[in-house]
Amino acid sequence: MTTGADNPHIGIILIGDELLSGKRQDKHMPAVIDMLHERGLELSWARMVGDDAALLERTLAETMDTDDIVFSFGGIGATPDDRTRQCAARAAGGTLEINAEGREILETKFGNEAYPNRIHMVEWPVGSEVIPNPINRVPGFSLGDHHFVPGFPRMAWPMVAWVLDTHYAYLHDAERNVEYLIEVFDTPESALIDLMQSVMDAHPAVRIACLPAADGQRKIEFGVRGRPTPAAAAFDALVAALNDAAVPTGACTSR
């Protein structure tokens, strides 16, 4: 793979009109979040795009212009509504070709029935590499740090896991992120801005966020997320600052 970043962002692209119409609900994001968490990694962003070829090409062109690791779900079949392969080629400024390794896989699986239509499933952007499919053997493909897998969860998820373990094992971290939480009561957000900013400035290695209650209660949840040692230090500083300001708080929790 091509990434040179020590801590690259990881994103997913979810493709299909059926997702945007509500006909189907996405299941990939929670699965990817879990797979990344098991490896000490986190999802940075997600995009959902319909089957509009121009929009998909533009989306891929934007994400390919980054060092991000991207997993794309759906649209890699051979039917006319599957446009991901073509859009990926155009976004990369290249063309499509029948991938030699992919062709061998399909010919082994289907024999003469690989032609004339099934073979298009391995017509990928020039320079692509095979992602093995342990379920039905029809592969996905990688183009640089963009990885294209089917929309079917049963196939897609082991393929994503294979990519993570084969190409990005060097990014895996046994030390998982942790999150510390504390609730603040009867205090407006505006009164906490300076306090929050001072803690954030002093602890740039962690993420600090506040989430007001959505049910009308006068309550704010503060969260501190990061690697265990810096997160614990930042959380202690936040709690101390809240206590010094006499802000009413609830119990502290972690996850």
Side-chain angles (χ1 to χ4, degrees), residues 180 199 203 206 224 227-239:
Y180 295 95
V199 177
H203 300 273
V206 303
V224 176
R227 290 297 191 252
T229 299
F235 187 71
D236 288 345
L238 175 64
V239 172

Side-chain angles (χ1 to χ4, degrees), residues 39-189:
R39 294 160 175 83
L41 304 171
E42 289 192 336
L43 185 67
S44 297
W45 57 263
R47 296 194 189 189
M48 188 175 289
V49 187
D51 293 319
D52 181 303
L55 180 57
L56 179 54
E57 180 182 342
R58 187 175 77 201
T59 299
L60 289 169
E62 291 173 358
T63 59
M64 287 179 179
D65 193 32
T66 72
D67 292 325
D68 295 0
I69 297 168
V70 180
F71 293 94
S72 173
F73 296 86
I76 63 172
T79 57
D81 60 328
D82 290 321
R83 302 182 175 96
T84 303
R85 295 175 294 104
Q86 301 90 323
C87 292
R90 291 195 296 269
T95 58
L96 292 171
E97 68 173 1
I98 301 296
N99 179 273
E101 185 179 355
R103 177 176 59 203
E104 183 177 350
I105 292 170
L106 291 194
E107 288 178 345
T108 300
K109 177 176 174 61
F110 296 111
N112 291 335
E113 293 183 1
Y115 299 90
N117 293 320
R118 287 191 173 104
I119 196 65
H120 292 298
M121 292 188 290
V122 294
E123 189 177 28
W124 301 331
V126 174
S128 295
E129 301 176 10
V130 162
I131 300 175
N133 182 339
I135 304 303
N136 72 356
R137 296 171 54 200
V138 177
F141 66 95
S142 296
L143 183 62
D145 288 308
H146 277 59
H147 309 284
F148 299 85
V149 298
F152 300 105
R154 183 167 171 260
M155 299 178 190
W157 298 349
M159 295 169 77
V160 170
W162 181 88
V163 170
L164 289 171
D165 294 339
T166 302
H167 295 301
Y168 302 109
Y170 68 95
L171 293 174
H172 296 189
D173 194 334
E175 187 178 59
R176 309 291 193 259
N177 278 351
V178 297
E179 185 173 23
Y180 295 95
L181 304 171
I182 186 170
E183 290 182 331
V184 170
F185 301 100
D186 300 321
T187 307
E189 282 184 286

